[in-house]
Amino acid sequence: WVVPVVTRVHGVDGLRLGREEVEVVLFFQAYHLIPSVNMTWEEPPLDPTAPAPYDTLSEEDFASWLKKYRPVLDLLSSKAPKLFQEVDACYTRVLWGHDWMRADRKLVGRHVGPAQVAAFTAFLRSSAAFRSQSKGFWPDPGRRLLIITRRQGGGRAFANLPELLEGVRSELPGVVVRVQEMGDLSLMSQMALMTTTDLVVAAVGAGLAWVVLLPPHGAAVELVPWETPKSLYACRGLWGGEPFSMFGGFSRLAGNRHVCHRMKERAAEVPYEAALWRKVDIRIDVGVVVGSLREVIKETSFVPQL
């Protein structure tokens, strides 16, 4: 949602409003905060005796959520966000966020395209908050490879990460590696890291959404567990093979490259009923991943980043 709204409000072809001219109003309807590092939200069970929706959002919950997302909201406005039920004002112009998230938005002409992604990235790079976060990730020169990891025990962690690191170091000279669990960084730092990265290797999951911020010469290698049903998730092992998949689509909009590999081995033997693909770890096929990286390095012109 933030990509089209930022470009609509502040973009060259948008309203060109100053951040001081915009107010962000947040509307949370019957959502509770899950006490976790990611500060995510879940919808509670329907209960006719429950209080009004906005009563379920405590000041402590809102403050915790705001601490994480305020840097992103500050891209839109220099004013503190407000809760809908606390607003006592009339607005002459409103951008209704839910309208940008409708499943049929393409049918009604509201969708994000390459131009909007490029405009958002340009605006992001121009913000002072972004520039302050974008230095220090890569102290050594070379082609920058980011390996996004996940917490052990949560599913889709790399079971043989040291083997991949050794394969990269021995087979891809000139590539510098950073292993990162994205949840350990603020959202602004995550965005800044991705815009300064050349290559990404990651398991299927939310962290791959940041490929939308990879530079045009960048490339992402998505890894899917062996247990993932082929009927559920297209993953053919071809560069550009999934242009309309979730993360292949993000890469297409950003103008960079994407390949998805389904791993050939299980990370561990588990009972069939327990092999929910989101919960199992991934045993990396090092030869396949290193081969894809070598291929894209050979074919893609390298633009050293400052």
Side-chain angles (χ1 to χ4, degrees):
W1 168 76
V2 74
V3 173
V5 171
V6 165
T7 55
R8 176 74 183 277
V9 173
H10 300 301
V12 175
D13 297 325
L15 301 174
R16 299 192 185 186
L17 299 177
R19 290 173 59 249
E20 70 283 353
E21 300 178 86
V22 178
E23 288 190 0
V24 175
V25 179
L26 304 171
F27 182 51
F28 295 104
Q29 183 175 8
Y31 274 69
H32 290 290
L33 185 65
I34 304 172
S36 70
V37 66
N38 291 323
M39 294 298 177
T40 52
W41 296 81
E42 67 178 358
E43 195 167 2
L46 293 175
D47 181 359
T49 65
Y54 54 81
D55 289 339
T56 66
L57 183 68
S58 69
E59 291 185 8
E60 182 180 359
D61 282 351
F62 182 57
S64 298
W65 185 91
L66 199 58
K67 181 179 180 180
K68 179 174 183 179
Y69 292 101
R70 179 67 184 270
V72 178
L73 299 176
D74 283 348
L75 293 173
L76 290 165
S77 174
S78 59
K79 304 176 183 179
K82 299 178 179 179
L83 287 173
F84 178 78
Q85 64 270 16
E86 298 174 354
V87 171
D88 183 18
C90 292
Y91 300 98
T92 58
R93 289 181 290 191
V94 175
L95 291 180
W96 182 240
H98 185 268
D99 206 22
W100 291 91
M101 300 172 64
R102 289 163 50 120
D104 63 346
R105 60 192 178 279
K106 189 169 184 178
L107 299 179
V108 297
R110 294 192 175 191
H111 58 282
V112 175
Q116 287 74 28
V117 171
F120 173 77
T121 304
F123 178 80
L124 184 66
R125 288 179 177 274
S126 70
S127 72
F130 174 84
R131 290 196 301 272
S132 68
Q133 296 283 335
S134 60
K135 301 184 183 299
F137 288 119
W138 305 97
D140 300 319
R143 182 93 62 151
R144 299 165 176 179
L145 168 60
L146 172 65
I147 300 177
I148 299 177
T149 58
R150 303 175 72 93
R151 284 184 172 84
Q152 294 293 331
R156 288 167 284 162
F158 292 147
N160 58 331
L161 178 59
E163 294 179 26
L164 176 61
L165 295 175
E166 178 58 32
V168 170
R169 292 189 180 106
S170 62
E171 299 292 332
L172 302 175
V175 171
V176 293
V177 180
R178 181 185 180 95
V179 178
Q180 182 68 58
E181 194 171 298
M182 297 300 266
D184 292 338
L185 301 176
S186 69
L187 287 178
M188 190 62 73
S189 293
Q190 292 179 39
M191 290 190 283
L193 172 58
M194 192 60 72
T195 60
T196 58
T197 294
D198 304 306
L199 306 165
V200 176
V201 173
V204 54
L208 267 174
W210 292 128
V211 301
V212 76
L213 296 178
L214 271 179
H217 70 270
V221 179
E222 177 183 0
L223 306 184
V224 172
W226 178 91
E227 290 83 355
T228 310
K230 294 182 179 180
S231 59
L232 174 66
Y233 204 88
C235 186
R236 294 181 289 174
L238 302 173
W239 284 108
E242 279 71 47
F244 299 106
S245 70
M246 188 182 307
F247 305 114
F250 283 147
S251 282
R252 175 175 55 83
L253 292 177
N256 52 55
R257 303 187 68 186
H258 167 271
V259 64
C260 179
H261 289 297
R262 189 184 309 276
M263 297 295 93
K264 299 177 181 178
E265 297 181 25
R266 289 183 173 182
E269 291 296 328
V270 294
Y272 178 78
E273 61 272 15
L276 180 63
W277 67 273
R278 291 178 180 272
K279 297 298 184 181
V280 299
D281 289 341
I282 295 176
R283 181 165 185 80
I284 304 169
D285 188 329
V286 175
V288 168
V289 174
V290 171
S292 286
L293 293 173
R294 183 189 297 111
E295 181 182 353
V296 77
I297 289 172
K298 182 178 179 181
E299 294 180 0
T300 308
S301 58
F302 177 41
V303 182
Q305 300 194 55
L306 301 178

